[in-house]
């Protein structure tokens, strides 16, 4: 019959459906179609080589599927819904990744970035770039030191020259004189204000009663001794590190320290032999015991891993510092022994009757004198470039531990407030059961007061936790840059000295061969 041989009436519709919906099968069944001739390579997941019209149809409902990632991260969902999905799949995926990546919390990323989460925090937190953008140029130099007074009342003053573009300063260039106690007073003020907020304050150099006593009793007028020079370099590094911090650089006390003319108010609590100094010593001992006994069940994996990393780094830095100091001492002793050998060779050359041998011994003495200077220069590089760097970072590890301990103290204050609030509520329930209406009003007022303290404690804990993560990101970056710069400079000096050493011996070799 005619009806039996007619083609099905829905064949054409099926082809249309095939062209619109079944894109992948159509690409495989019709390789000679115009679309596939334009892109001979096989399509990758049906995205790269689809026409624009089909892409629009394909991605019309794609926004709900892109939100699958944001369903697991609530903060990303809030920001991700604001951006419209582009008609181009590359733009859509790129914009989605750009919006979602900075919002990933540290605790969520630790499983994928174990042990290396801290260096990546700079890119995770967009607010970090704000501080870098607002940073101003600042150059601080301690150019000279001079001794003031005589006897045990003498002290050293240091001339500080500051050049900055920070508008918070009255002048772009400042020059002031400060004594060591002024530096300690500045550090104490910065610690008191900023450490409770989770900010890492660079440590000031430690007091040395023995070293300063030698300087006071010395007859030299100039402060050119090794002790004064080392302290000058340490104080300069303290100021440079403080000025590099965007928050500390604009601190009113720091600005006053760098630009106020005349003397600063004397800081009496910095004296090691004063009553305040003794009390400070007892306070440090109490804090050390508190750090040992005060423990908290850490819920954030980032802090647990970071504390372990800081402890391990502290131990290794201390070992490396001791070894480099030993190397510096040995190289200094080698320099002294080389000088003695040079004198002995010169004396032997003077009494030697053989002309060529006498000339060779004199040349050997001159060569050893040059080598003695190389050993001395390398010993100073060992100390000032490497040993002092390790010493500074051992002290900085202590400053890092201080902010971590401050976070634990903040957590304890919060939990103590919660415990007290629970007791106040229990007391109110007992008063209600005893029908003591006159005391219920006061109990309710106390509950309201402690509820506010609990809220403040939780807010303080969250704030200091956020600041510490941000500070550790910045600290890690600066630490890597410091080590890189100092190691490169140290190696350059070492290689230069080795080249000079080879040249000295090459110059002496013909004299030795000329002995006949």
């Amino acid at each position: 019959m005619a009806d039996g041989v007619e083609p099905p009436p829905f064949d054409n519709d099926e082809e249309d459906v095939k062209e619109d919906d079944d894109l992948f099968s159509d690409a495989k069944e019709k390789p000679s179609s115009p679309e596939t001739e334009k892109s001979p390579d096989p399509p990758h997941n049906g995205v790269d080589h689809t026409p624009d019209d089909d892409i629009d149809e394909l991605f019309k409902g794609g926004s709900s599927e892109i939100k699958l990632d944001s369903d697991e991260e609530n903060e990303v969902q809030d920001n991700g819904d604001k951006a419209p999905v582009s008609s181009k799949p590359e733009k859509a995926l790129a914009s989605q990744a750009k919006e979602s990546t900075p919002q990933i919390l540290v605790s969520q990323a630790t499983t994928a970035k174990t042990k290396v989460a801290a260096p990546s925090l700079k890119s995770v937190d967009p607010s970090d770039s704000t501080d870098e953008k607002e940073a101003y140029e600042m150059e601080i130099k301690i150019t000279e030191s001079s001794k003031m007074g005589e006897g045990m009342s003498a002290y050293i003053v240091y001339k500080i020259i500051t050049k900055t573009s920070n508008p918070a300063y009255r002048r772009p260039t400042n020059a002031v004189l400060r004594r060591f106690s002024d530096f300690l007073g500045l550090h104490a003020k910065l610690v008191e204000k900023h450490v409770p907020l989770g900010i890492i304050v660079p440590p000031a150099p430690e007091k040395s009663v023995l070293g300063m006593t030698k300087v006071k009793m010395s007859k030299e007028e100039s402060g050119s001794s090794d002790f004064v020079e080392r302290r000058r370099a340490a104080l300069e590094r303290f100021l440079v590190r403080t000025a590099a911090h965007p928050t500390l650089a604009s601190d009113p006390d720091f600005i006053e320290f760098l630009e106020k003319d005349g003397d600063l108010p004397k800081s009496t609590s910095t004296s090691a032999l004063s009553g305040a100094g003794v009390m400070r010593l007892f306070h440090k001992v109490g804090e050390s015991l508190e750090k040992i006994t005060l423990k908290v069940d850490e819920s954030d994996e980032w802090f647990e891993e970071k504390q372990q990393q800081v402890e391990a780094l502290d131990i290794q830095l201390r070992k490396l510092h001791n070894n480099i100091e030993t190397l510096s001492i040995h190289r200094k002793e080698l320099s002294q022994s080389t000088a003695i050998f040079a004198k002995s060779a010169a004396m032997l050359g003077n009494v030697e009757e053989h002309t060529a041998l006498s000339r060779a011994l004199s040349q050997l003495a001159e060569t050893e004198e040059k080598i003695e200077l190389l050993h001395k220069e390398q010993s100073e590089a060992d100390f000032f470039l490497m040993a002092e760097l390790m010493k500074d970072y051992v002290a900085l590890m202590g400053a890092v531990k201080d902010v971590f301990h401050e976070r634990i103290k903040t957590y304890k204050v919060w939990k103590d407030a919660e415990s007290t609030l629970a007791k106040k509520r229990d007391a109110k329930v007992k008063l209600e059961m005893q029908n003591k209406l006159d005391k219920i009003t006061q109990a309710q007022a106390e509950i309201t007061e402690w509820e506010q303290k609990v809220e403040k404690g939780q807010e303080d804990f969250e704030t200091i936790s956020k600041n510490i993560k941000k500070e550790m990101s910045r600290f890690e970056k600066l630490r890597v840059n410091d080590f890189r710069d100092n190691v490169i400079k140290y190696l350059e000096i070492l290689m230069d000295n080795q080249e000079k050493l080879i040249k000295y011996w090459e110059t002496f070799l013909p004299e030795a061969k000329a002995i006949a």
Side-chain angles (χ1 to χ4, degrees):
M1 295 178 62
D3 295 337
V5 295
E6 287 183 358
F10 48 82
D11 268 359
N12 293 333
D13 296 336
E14 187 175 358
E15 281 190 356
D16 295 337
V17 173
K18 202 175 196 181
E19 289 178 3
D20 291 338
D21 298 333
D22 199 358
L23 297 174
F24 304 103
S25 60
D26 184 61
K28 294 178 181 178
E29 292 173 5
K30 298 181 179 181
S32 60
S33 61
E35 291 80 6
T36 54
E37 288 177 359
K38 293 179 182 178
S39 56
D41 297 333
H44 183 67
N45 290 336
V47 174
D48 293 340
H49 304 297
T50 52
D52 291 345
D53 295 338
D54 294 337
I55 291 172
D56 292 338
E57 293 296 327
L58 181 63
F59 283 87
K60 276 182 179 178
S63 58
S64 60
E65 295 188 9
I66 292 175
K67 289 181 182 178
L68 287 176
D69 292 336
S70 61
D71 289 338
E72 299 175 1
E73 301 164 2
N74 294 330
E75 295 183 2
V76 178
Q77 185 177 5
D78 296 336
N79 296 331
D81 293 341
K82 296 178 182 180
V85 179
S86 174
S87 61
K88 302 291 185 181
E90 293 84 2
K91 293 182 180 179
L93 296 175
S95 61
Q96 183 66 19
K98 184 176 179 181
E99 292 178 17
S100 60
T101 302
Q103 301 295 331
I104 296 177
L105 299 178
V106 175
S107 59
Q108 295 170 339
T110 49
T111 55
K113 297 182 179 180
T114 306
K115 302 296 184 183
V116 292
S120 64
L121 288 177
K122 188 73 180 178
S123 59
V124 171
D125 191 354
S127 62
D128 289 354
S129 59
T130 304
D131 292 337
E132 298 295 333
K133 191 192 306 182
E134 296 297 328
Y136 298 97
E137 293 183 1
M138 180 174 286
E139 180 184 356
I140 299 178
K141 293 287 185 182
I142 299 181
T143 56
E144 59 186 64
S145 58
S146 56
K147 184 178 178 181
M148 308 294 289
E150 294 293 338
M152 293 304 295
S153 61
Y155 59 92
I156 304 295
V157 294
Y158 302 89
K159 185 176 181 180
I160 308 170
I161 298 179
T162 307
K163 297 179 181 179
T164 180
S165 60
N166 193 335
Y169 291 76
R170 292 179 298 174
R171 298 182 297 269
T173 303
N174 296 280
V176 295
L177 295 177
R178 296 289 180 258
R179 55 190 297 180
F180 183 71
S181 59
D182 296 331
F183 289 86
L184 297 184
L186 170 65
H187 177 259
K189 292 177 182 177
L190 295 178
V191 167
E192 183 180 0
K193 286 194 293 185
H194 297 285
V195 170
L197 301 178
I199 294 177
I200 301 174
V201 177
E206 297 179 352
K207 294 183 70 70
S208 176
V209 178
L210 179 61
M212 197 58 203
T213 302
K214 291 180 180 180
V215 173
K216 290 180 178 181
M217 302 307 295
S218 174
K219 298 297 182 180
E220 298 179 0
E221 293 296 330
S222 63
S224 58
S225 64
D226 290 341
F227 171 78
V228 175
E229 174 58 25
R230 292 179 180 183
R231 172 171 281 187
R232 182 206 63 79
L235 291 173
E236 183 178 293
R237 292 195 300 271
F238 163 67
L239 292 179
V240 169
R241 287 196 174 98
T242 304
H245 196 290
T247 302
L248 302 180
S250 300
D251 184 89
D253 291 320
F254 186 65
I255 295 176
E256 180 187 38
F257 180 87
L258 292 178
E259 70 176 7
K260 182 179 180 181
D261 298 327
D263 297 334
L264 293 174
K266 189 175 181 181
S267 181
T268 56
S269 62
T270 59
S271 176
L273 302 179
S274 65
V278 175
M279 293 301 296
R280 187 173 64 254
L281 178 61
F282 280 111
H283 180 67
K284 287 183 178 179
V285 173
E287 279 194 345
S288 299
L289 294 175
E290 186 181 11
K291 289 179 182 179
I292 298 174
T293 57
L294 185 59
K295 300 294 181 181
V296 62
D297 294 333
E298 190 59 70
S299 58
D300 194 332
E301 293 181 4
W302 186 92
F303 282 98
E304 186 175 359
E305 291 180 2
K306 190 56 62 178
Q307 285 176 336
Q308 294 175 359
Q309 179 186 349
V310 168
E311 290 292 341
L313 188 60
D314 184 32
I315 294 173
Q316 297 305 321
L317 284 173
R318 291 178 186 274
K319 290 181 179 179
L320 186 56
H321 173 250
N322 292 334
N323 293 334
I324 294 178
E325 275 198 334
T326 303
L327 174 64
S328 178
I329 293 172
H330 287 336
R331 214 184 294 269
K332 190 173 184 179
E333 293 174 351
L334 176 61
S335 173
Q336 296 171 352
S337 300
T338 304
I340 296 173
F341 175 72
K343 291 179 181 179
S344 300
M347 293 174 65
L348 181 59
N350 290 334
V351 300
E352 178 59 51
E353 295 182 355
H354 193 282
T355 305
L357 181 58
S358 176
R359 186 172 60 249
L361 288 173
S362 299
Q363 188 71 23
L364 176 62
E366 293 178 4
T367 303
E368 289 293 345
E369 287 177 356
K370 296 177 181 178
I371 293 174
E372 178 242 333
L373 295 177
L374 285 182
H375 289 322
K376 185 177 180 180
E377 181 182 348
Q378 189 60 50
S379 174
E380 292 176 353
D382 293 339
F383 181 81
F384 286 104
L385 285 180
M386 298 303 295
E388 289 292 271
L389 176 68
M390 300 305 145
K391 183 179 179 181
D392 287 349
Y393 271 92
V394 167
L396 280 168
M397 287 297 108
V400 171
K401 291 179 181 179
D402 287 341
V403 296
F404 276 93
H405 179 62
E406 197 68 32
R407 175 177 174 270
I408 295 178
K409 288 167 61 177
T410 305
Y411 179 82
K412 185 176 182 298
V413 170
W414 173 29
K415 291 303 176 182
D416 288 346
E418 284 186 343
S419 176
T420 304
L421 177 60
K423 292 179 181 178
K424 295 293 183 182
R425 287 172 174 170
D426 292 342
K428 180 188 174 185
V429 172
K430 291 180 180 179
L431 292 175
E432 290 174 347
M433 294 177 63
Q434 296 173 2
N435 201 20
K436 295 182 179 180
L437 302 179
D438 54 333
K439 296 183 178 181
I440 291 179
T441 304
Q442 180 181 356
Q444 181 59 44
E446 292 179 353
I447 289 175
T448 303
E449 177 185 355
W450 281 99
E451 285 176 346
Q452 294 175 354
K453 290 182 178 181
V454 169
E455 291 179 0
K456 185 178 184 303
Q458 183 178 2
E459 181 181 352
D460 291 343
F461 179 74
E462 292 174 352
T463 300
I464 193 173
S465 298
K466 180 181 177 181
N467 288 343
I468 289 176
K469 291 181 179 181
K470 184 177 177 181
E471 285 289 295
M472 287 303 297
S473 170
R474 178 184 170 278
F475 174 76
E476 289 291 344
K477 182 178 179 180
L478 293 179
R479 181 175 65 86
V480 171
N481 291 338
D482 268 356
F483 272 73
R484 180 198 62 199
D485 295 342
N486 280 269
V487 168
I488 291 175
K489 191 180 299 182
Y490 177 75
L491 291 177
E492 288 175 347
I493 293 176
L494 186 61
M495 293 173 63
D496 184 57
N497 288 339
Q498 292 298 320
E499 289 176 357
K500 290 180 180 178
L501 184 63
I502 294 173
K503 185 182 295 184
Y504 293 156
W505 287 120
E506 287 178 345
T507 304
F508 170 72
L509 185 59
E511 291 290 339
K513 290 181 177 180
I515 300 175

